[in-house]
Amino acid sequence: MMQNESTAAMTSDAGGLAIKGKIAAHYPYQMRIEPRAEGFLADIVFCCICQPALYIRPFVTEFSQQVDWLHQNVQAVAASQMQAAGEQEQAVMFVAGAPCLARYSEDGSYYRAIIEKVDDVQDAVHVLYVDYLTREILPKRDICECPLELRLIPLSFACVRLAGVQPNATRPIAEVYGRLQELLEAASFYVRFIQRPDVEESTSLPEVELFTAKDCQTLAYQTLIDEQYLVADTNQ
Protein backbone atom coordinates (compact mmCIF):
# COMPACT_ATOMS: atom_id res chain seq x y z
CA MET A 1 0.00 0.00 0.00
CA MET A 2 1.19 3.53 -0.73
CA GLN A 3 3.27 5.24 1.96
CA ASN A 4 3.45 8.94 2.75
CA GLU A 5 6.04 10.95 0.86
CA SER A 6 7.37 14.46 1.39
CA THR A 7 4.72 17.10 0.77
CA ALA A 8 6.60 20.19 1.90
CA ALA A 9 5.69 21.99 -1.33
CA MET A 10 2.05 21.87 -0.25
CA THR A 11 2.60 23.98 2.86
CA SER A 12 2.30 27.27 0.97
CA ASP A 13 -0.84 29.29 1.65
CA ALA A 14 -2.06 29.38 -1.95
CA GLY A 15 -1.07 25.76 -2.52
CA GLY A 16 -2.86 24.56 0.60
CA LEU A 17 -6.06 26.41 -0.25
CA ALA A 18 -6.03 25.20 -3.84
CA ILE A 19 -5.44 21.58 -2.86
CA LYS A 20 -8.09 21.69 -0.15
CA GLY A 21 -10.62 23.15 -2.59
CA LYS A 22 -9.88 20.67 -5.36
CA ILE A 23 -10.15 17.70 -3.05
CA ALA A 24 -13.27 18.88 -1.20
CA ALA A 25 -15.12 19.42 -4.47
CA HIS A 26 -15.14 15.66 -5.11
CA TYR A 27 -14.12 14.04 -1.80
CA PRO A 28 -16.00 16.12 0.79
CA TYR A 29 -15.56 14.04 3.95
CA GLN A 30 -12.65 13.52 6.36
CA MET A 31 -12.22 10.90 9.05
CA ARG A 32 -13.12 12.01 12.56
CA ILE A 33 -10.88 11.35 15.53
CA GLU A 34 -12.77 10.28 18.61
CA PRO A 35 -11.35 11.61 21.91
CA ARG A 36 -9.21 9.11 23.79
CA ALA A 37 -7.40 9.64 27.07
CA GLU A 38 -4.53 7.33 26.17
CA GLY A 39 -3.54 9.08 22.93
CA PHE A 40 -2.15 7.32 19.85
CA LEU A 41 0.74 7.17 17.41
CA ALA A 42 0.45 8.91 14.03
CA ASP A 43 2.33 10.11 10.95
CA ILE A 44 2.17 13.52 9.32
CA VAL A 45 0.46 13.79 5.94
CA PHE A 46 1.05 17.51 5.45
CA CYS A 47 0.97 20.91 7.13
CA CYS A 48 -1.56 23.40 5.78
CA ILE A 49 -0.95 27.04 6.70
CA CYS A 50 -4.25 28.27 5.29
CA GLN A 51 -6.20 27.14 8.39
CA PRO A 52 -3.54 26.55 9.97
CA ALA A 53 -3.82 22.80 10.47
CA LEU A 54 -2.01 19.50 10.46
CA TYR A 55 -3.26 16.52 8.48
CA ILE A 56 -2.29 13.32 10.27
CA ARG A 57 -2.82 9.58 9.78
CA PRO A 58 -3.43 7.89 13.16
CA PHE A 59 -2.27 4.35 13.90
CA VAL A 60 -5.53 3.29 15.55
CA THR A 61 -7.75 0.33 14.81
CA GLU A 62 -10.72 2.15 13.30
CA PHE A 63 -8.50 4.15 10.95
CA SER A 64 -6.50 1.10 9.87
CA GLN A 65 -9.65 -0.92 9.26
CA GLN A 66 -11.21 1.81 7.13
CA VAL A 67 -8.02 2.31 5.11
CA ASP A 68 -7.79 -1.44 4.44
CA TRP A 69 -11.49 -1.64 3.54
CA LEU A 70 -11.20 1.34 1.20
CA HIS A 71 -8.11 -0.13 -0.47
CA GLN A 72 -9.87 -3.43 -1.16
CA ASN A 73 -12.94 -1.70 -2.58
CA VAL A 74 -10.89 0.60 -4.81
CA GLN A 75 -9.01 -2.38 -6.28
CA ALA A 76 -12.27 -4.22 -6.99
CA VAL A 77 -13.90 -1.20 -8.63
CA ALA A 78 -10.79 -0.37 -10.66
CA ALA A 79 -10.50 -3.94 -11.94
CA SER A 80 -14.14 -3.87 -13.03
CA GLN A 81 -13.81 -0.43 -14.62
CA MET A 82 -10.65 -1.29 -16.55
CA GLN A 83 -12.14 -4.51 -17.85
CA ALA A 84 -15.42 -2.95 -18.96
CA ALA A 85 -14.36 0.47 -20.22
CA GLY A 86 -13.55 1.06 -23.87
CA GLU A 87 -11.43 3.84 -25.32
CA GLN A 88 -14.40 6.12 -25.97
CA GLU A 89 -15.63 5.77 -22.38
CA GLN A 90 -12.17 6.50 -21.02
CA ALA A 91 -11.71 9.62 -23.16
CA VAL A 92 -14.29 11.60 -21.20
CA MET A 93 -12.19 11.07 -18.07
CA PHE A 94 -9.22 13.10 -19.29
CA VAL A 95 -10.30 16.49 -17.94
CA ALA A 96 -8.32 18.56 -15.44
CA GLY A 97 -10.09 18.57 -12.08
CA ALA A 98 -11.94 15.29 -12.62
CA PRO A 99 -11.89 12.63 -9.87
CA CYS A 100 -10.45 9.28 -10.87
CA LEU A 101 -8.83 6.07 -9.73
CA ALA A 102 -5.14 6.08 -10.64
CA ARG A 103 -2.60 3.27 -10.66
CA TYR A 104 0.43 3.93 -8.45
CA SER A 105 3.58 2.99 -10.35
CA GLU A 106 5.48 1.58 -7.37
CA ASP A 107 2.98 -1.08 -6.27
CA GLY A 108 0.55 -1.34 -9.20
CA SER A 109 -2.46 -0.68 -6.97
CA TYR A 110 -5.15 1.90 -7.65
CA TYR A 111 -5.87 4.87 -5.38
CA ARG A 112 -8.38 7.70 -5.35
CA ALA A 113 -7.06 10.76 -7.16
CA ILE A 114 -7.79 13.98 -9.02
CA ILE A 115 -6.49 14.81 -12.49
CA GLU A 116 -4.46 18.02 -12.25
CA LYS A 117 -3.22 18.26 -15.84
CA VAL A 118 -3.72 16.46 -19.15
CA ASP A 119 -0.73 16.12 -21.49
CA ASP A 120 -2.12 15.03 -24.84
CA VAL A 121 1.31 15.19 -26.48
CA GLN A 122 2.74 12.59 -24.09
CA ASP A 123 -0.63 10.79 -23.77
CA ALA A 124 -0.29 11.23 -20.01
CA VAL A 125 -2.06 12.75 -17.01
CA HIS A 126 -0.75 14.44 -13.87
CA VAL A 127 -2.64 13.19 -10.81
CA LEU A 128 -2.86 14.03 -7.11
CA TYR A 129 -3.58 11.02 -4.87
CA VAL A 130 -6.12 12.49 -2.46
CA ASP A 131 -5.58 10.10 0.46
CA TYR A 132 -1.79 10.56 0.46
CA LEU A 133 -1.37 14.03 -1.10
CA THR A 134 1.37 12.85 -3.44
CA ARG A 135 1.63 13.39 -7.17
CA GLU A 136 2.57 11.30 -10.17
CA ILE A 137 2.54 11.45 -13.98
CA LEU A 138 0.83 8.43 -15.51
CA PRO A 139 -0.08 7.16 -18.96
CA LYS A 140 -3.77 7.66 -19.67
CA ARG A 141 -4.34 3.92 -19.70
CA ASP A 142 -3.59 3.83 -15.95
CA ILE A 143 -6.62 5.81 -14.80
CA CYS A 144 -10.33 5.05 -14.66
CA GLU A 145 -13.50 6.59 -13.28
CA CYS A 146 -14.01 7.00 -9.53
CA PRO A 147 -17.71 6.35 -8.82
CA LEU A 148 -19.69 8.47 -6.36
CA GLU A 149 -19.86 5.75 -3.71
CA LEU A 150 -16.06 5.76 -3.43
CA ARG A 151 -15.86 9.56 -3.42
CA LEU A 152 -18.19 9.76 -0.40
CA ILE A 153 -15.94 7.57 1.78
CA PRO A 154 -13.97 9.84 4.17
CA LEU A 155 -10.39 10.70 3.30
CA SER A 156 -7.72 8.61 5.01
CA PHE A 157 -6.42 11.33 7.31
CA ALA A 158 -7.70 13.62 10.05
CA CYS A 159 -7.26 17.34 10.63
CA VAL A 160 -5.98 18.78 13.95
CA ARG A 161 -4.20 21.87 15.25
CA LEU A 162 -1.40 22.29 17.78
CA ALA A 163 -2.53 23.38 21.23
CA GLY A 164 -0.93 26.28 23.06
CA VAL A 165 1.42 27.46 20.31
CA GLN A 166 1.26 29.56 17.17
CA PRO A 167 3.74 30.63 14.47
CA ASN A 168 6.04 33.47 15.43
CA ALA A 169 4.67 36.51 13.59
CA THR A 170 8.20 37.79 12.95
CA ARG A 171 9.03 34.77 10.77
CA PRO A 172 7.51 33.87 7.39
CA ILE A 173 4.69 31.44 8.11
CA ALA A 174 5.72 29.20 5.20
CA GLU A 175 9.18 28.88 6.79
CA VAL A 176 7.67 27.93 10.17
CA TYR A 177 5.43 25.24 8.72
CA GLY A 178 8.18 24.04 6.41
CA ARG A 179 10.39 23.40 9.45
CA LEU A 180 7.49 21.76 11.28
CA GLN A 181 6.85 19.49 8.29
CA GLU A 182 10.51 18.42 8.22
CA LEU A 183 10.53 17.58 11.92
CA LEU A 184 7.30 15.58 11.85
CA GLU A 185 8.28 13.67 8.70
CA ALA A 186 11.42 12.36 10.43
CA ALA A 187 9.53 9.91 12.67
CA SER A 188 6.09 8.91 13.93
CA PHE A 189 4.81 10.86 16.94
CA TYR A 190 2.46 10.34 19.87
CA VAL A 191 -0.73 12.42 19.80
CA ARG A 192 -2.39 13.61 23.01
CA PHE A 193 -5.69 15.48 23.01
CA ILE A 194 -5.85 18.78 24.86
CA GLN A 195 -9.31 19.82 23.72
CA ARG A 196 -12.00 18.11 21.66
CA PRO A 197 -14.62 20.63 20.48
CA ASP A 198 -18.20 19.49 20.12
CA VAL A 199 -18.42 19.17 16.34
CA GLU A 200 -22.16 19.84 16.43
CA GLU A 201 -21.62 23.24 18.04
CA SER A 202 -18.26 24.34 16.70
CA THR A 203 -16.18 24.16 13.56
CA SER A 204 -12.95 24.34 15.57
CA LEU A 205 -10.34 21.67 15.00
CA PRO A 206 -9.33 19.20 17.72
CA GLU A 207 -6.36 20.59 19.65
CA VAL A 208 -3.46 18.26 20.30
CA GLU A 209 0.11 18.04 21.50
CA LEU A 210 2.58 15.84 19.63
CA PHE A 211 5.33 14.01 21.51
CA THR A 212 8.37 12.01 20.47
CA ALA A 213 7.26 9.04 22.60
CA LYS A 214 4.32 7.67 24.57
CA ASP A 215 5.79 8.94 27.86
CA CYS A 216 4.87 12.49 26.71
CA GLN A 217 8.12 13.94 28.03
CA THR A 218 9.38 15.72 24.90
CA LEU A 219 7.34 17.62 22.34
CA ALA A 220 8.08 16.57 18.77
CA TYR A 221 8.41 20.26 17.87
CA GLN A 222 10.32 21.41 21.00
CA THR A 223 13.21 22.53 18.77
CA LEU A 224 10.91 25.01 17.04
CA ILE A 225 9.82 26.42 20.40
CA ASP A 226 13.44 26.75 21.53
CA GLU A 227 14.36 28.51 18.29
CA GLN A 228 11.30 30.79 18.49
CA TYR A 229 9.65 29.48 15.35
CA LEU A 230 6.65 28.65 17.54
CA VAL A 231 5.55 30.86 20.44
CA ALA A 232 2.80 30.77 23.06
CA ASP A 233 -0.69 31.18 21.59
CA THR A 234 -2.04 34.33 23.24
CA ASN A 235 -5.56 33.57 22.00
CA GLN A 236 -5.89 30.49 24.20
Side-chain angles (χ1 to χ4, degrees), residues 151-165:
R151 302 202 304 268
L152 295 181
I153 297 172
L155 295 167
S156 300
F157 50 77
C159 192
V160 299
R161 70 184 299 267
L162 295 181
V165 295

Side-chain angles (χ1 to χ4, degrees), residues 76-92:
V77 170
S80 176
Q81 292 269 0
M82 297 304 286
Q83 182 176 4
E87 291 185 4
Q88 186 172 359
E89 291 177 284
Q90 287 291 300
V92 301

